[in-house]
Amino acid sequence: MKKTKEISRRKLLGIAGLGWMFDALDVGILSFVIAALHKDWNLSTAQMGWIGSMNSIGMAVGALVFGLMADRVGRKNVFIITLLLFSVGSGLSAFVTSLTLFLILRFFIGMGLGGELPVASTLVSESVPAHERGKVVVLLESFWAGGWLLAALISYFVIPNFGWQAALILTAIPAFYALYLRLNLPDSPRFQAMNVSKQKESSVKKIARVWTKPYVKQTTMLWILWFCVVFSYYGMFLWLPSVMIMKGFSLIQSFQYVLIMTLAQLPGYFVAAYLIERTGRKFVLITFLIGTAVSAYFFGNAETLPLLLTSGIFLSFFNLGAWGALYAYSPEHYPTEIRGTGTGLAAAFGRVGGILGPLLVGYLVAAKVPLDTIFLIFAVSIIIGALAVLFLGEETKKKELV
């Protein structure tokens, strides 16, 4: 019986992780496509920033809409809808020839991406026992590194030789395999067992409950944390290949160096997964966020290739480890009937930061603000997120979900 449960858990992690990986593949590819479109379509830095921000606008809407839907129609159904939405959208975007159409499709792709992530972490959180829940959710997040690594490889080998259109088509095709696997996935046992009357509670009441006295402190903390992490992540990582070009490297060189930095994401996740059930969620989040802030500062100030690569590697290591802890931590603050809503709302507010981050970089670069100043802004943002966890966060290690 125990062995069967273990196999089932691994199957869940594998299927959810595949969708997560293709989500990351799409976001990762976008950072390289932005750099390629800059050359192909002669885009300004402000227009480049709008591509990343439109993606985040879609993610904000998707996190809110699909988070609410997950508490009404189930985690599995929303899981399928979101994957289908961003896979089809990504494939179609390979055939557009104008920035306007590309931006419209990026909005719908973003909706799918933003909706899938909090719903996937909620589904996995509700399907594993408390003593290993944090570790399993961080391992789920580690598939993000696999997606980014695939994005870097495809970008390095495909975009220079076959164009960005071929890369986007490649991102869409394998996602349909994950969709096929997901059709036979059972829904969360906690959602299935949930009281029917609670399930029919209106979305407005669910949103209001998130801000009632029992949850107001953790909701405030999560919204600050999500905003700071998403603002800095999308501001830095969507611009990473372009920043390398600004620092004097060619398009192919920038893709190569970002690929090297991306490799550090996996050990970041694995170290976070190892520590999260031993030292707790707060320790891992605060430590990895401080590591991210320090790395961002040195990356922005790096003048030599060794320092640039070293700080970039540590930036990937700490930032993605923090993301893993964030997804493990967020669903543990709410009961089952509002877990999707609470997590989705925090993620949606965070995506506002994802809208502002890429836009800010575009406008600051256009205004000739030095890169070290831009990365200092992101470092300060990350420190604010760490302080929110330190002073407002509660430890949820081994907490039983209700």
Side-chain angles (χ1 to χ4, degrees):
M1 181 73 176
K2 187 178 178 182
K3 191 174 180 182
T4 306
K5 283 185 178 178
E6 181 66 26
I7 293 169
S8 176
R9 218 169 287 147
R10 286 181 183 176
K11 183 181 177 183
L12 170 65
L13 181 61
I15 294 173
L18 268 179
W20 205 285
M21 184 175 76
F22 295 127
D23 199 322
L25 174 60
D26 194 279
V27 173
I29 279 285
L30 182 61
S31 70
F32 297 99
V33 167
I34 289 172
L37 285 176
H38 173 57
K39 291 184 176 293
D40 282 9
W41 289 357
N42 196 29
L43 300 181
S44 67
T45 51
Q47 287 173 318
M48 292 165 71
W50 268 109
I51 294 175
S53 292
M54 185 58 73
N55 193 67
S56 291
I57 291 170
M59 291 182 87
V61 174
L64 175 60
V65 171
F66 291 119
L68 290 167
M69 269 184 70
D71 283 336
R72 294 189 68 80
V73 302
R75 287 49 164 143
K76 174 191 169 179
N77 291 331
V78 173
F79 209 20
I80 291 170
I81 293 166
T82 53
L83 180 63
L84 190 61
L85 186 59
F86 78 73
S87 302
V88 172
S90 191
L92 288 175
S93 64
F95 301 99
V96 303
T97 55
S98 74
L99 179 61
T100 303
L101 282 175
F102 192 83
L103 288 173
I104 292 169
L105 281 171
R106 279 320 309 179
F107 172 79
F108 287 105
I109 294 164
M111 276 192 70
L113 297 172
E116 183 186 51
L117 297 175
V119 172
S121 61
T122 299
L123 172 62
V124 174
S125 291
E126 292 176 343
S127 304
V128 296
H131 69 275
E132 59 178 13
R133 185 174 60 240
K135 179 182 72 174
V136 172
V137 175
V138 176
L139 288 176
L140 168 68
E141 244 285 292
S142 72
F143 282 84
W144 186 271
W148 254 90
L149 187 57
L150 262 178
L153 286 169
I154 289 171
S155 300
Y156 182 65
F157 290 108
V158 174
I159 291 179
N161 298 310
F162 304 101
W164 56 269
Q165 295 93 338
L168 287 176
I169 291 169
L170 281 176
T171 65
I173 295 169
F176 288 103
Y177 176 61
L179 181 66
Y180 162 74
L181 290 176
R182 200 170 290 184
L183 291 172
N184 296 317
L185 187 69
D187 211 328
S188 152
R190 288 201 169 274
F191 177 81
Q192 291 173 328
M194 190 169 63
N195 186 288
V196 175
S197 64
K198 288 183 179 178
Q199 188 176 340
K200 288 184 176 178
E201 188 177 30
S202 74
S203 297
V204 174
K205 286 184 178 178
K206 287 177 186 291
I207 293 171
R209 278 189 65 190
V210 167
W211 284 103
T212 54
K213 191 174 181 181
Y215 311 111
V216 67
K217 185 180 176 183
Q218 55 258 49
T219 297
T220 302
M221 181 273 300
L222 285 174
W223 282 39
I224 294 170
L225 176 60
W226 270 90
F227 182 91
C228 293
V229 171
V230 180
F231 169 75
S232 56
Y233 175 81
Y234 283 93
M236 292 187 293
F237 280 82
L238 275 184
W239 277 91
L240 212 50
S242 302
V243 165
M244 297 298 289
I245 292 170
M246 291 174 203
K247 285 183 176 281
F249 301 101
S250 70
L251 185 71
I252 294 177
Q253 281 177 319
S254 75
F255 286 4
Q256 181 184 5
Y257 296 143
V258 173
L259 172 59
I260 293 168
M261 295 173 200
T262 302
L263 289 170
Q265 293 184 10
L266 272 173
Y269 283 123
F270 294 148
V271 171
Y274 176 80
L275 291 174
I276 200 162
E277 297 297 358
R278 290 167 173 80
T279 61
R281 278 66 162 147
K282 286 184 67 172
F283 176 84
V284 171
L285 267 170
I286 293 167
T287 303
F288 277 70
L289 287 172
I290 291 171
T292 302
V294 172
S295 303
Y297 173 80
F298 280 105
F299 185 83
N301 285 273
E303 297 291 341
T304 64
L305 181 59
L307 183 56
L308 201 62
L309 282 176
T310 303
S311 55
I313 285 168
F314 278 108
L315 184 65
S316 288
F317 176 91
F318 284 114
N319 189 264
L320 277 299
W323 268 105
L326 176 62
Y327 273 107
Y329 192 48
S330 299
E332 295 176 335
H333 289 85
Y334 302 104
T336 300
E337 62 269 17
I338 59 167
R339 187 167 295 121
T341 301
T343 307
L345 282 170
F349 186 71
R351 300 302 170 191
V352 176
I355 296 164
L356 297 176
L359 272 181
L360 180 71
V361 176
Y363 284 105
L364 290 180
V365 168
K368 302 194 183 306
V369 174
L371 285 172
D372 58 346
T373 303
I374 294 171
F375 275 81
L376 178 61
I377 292 169
F378 293 129
V380 171
S381 167
I382 287 289
I383 292 295
I384 292 170
L387 290 173
V389 177
L390 179 64
F391 292 110
L392 297 175
E394 298 175 1
E395 183 54 64
T396 56
K397 184 176 74 168
K398 295 182 180 178
K399 177 183 177 182
E400 291 290 343
L401 299 183
V402 293

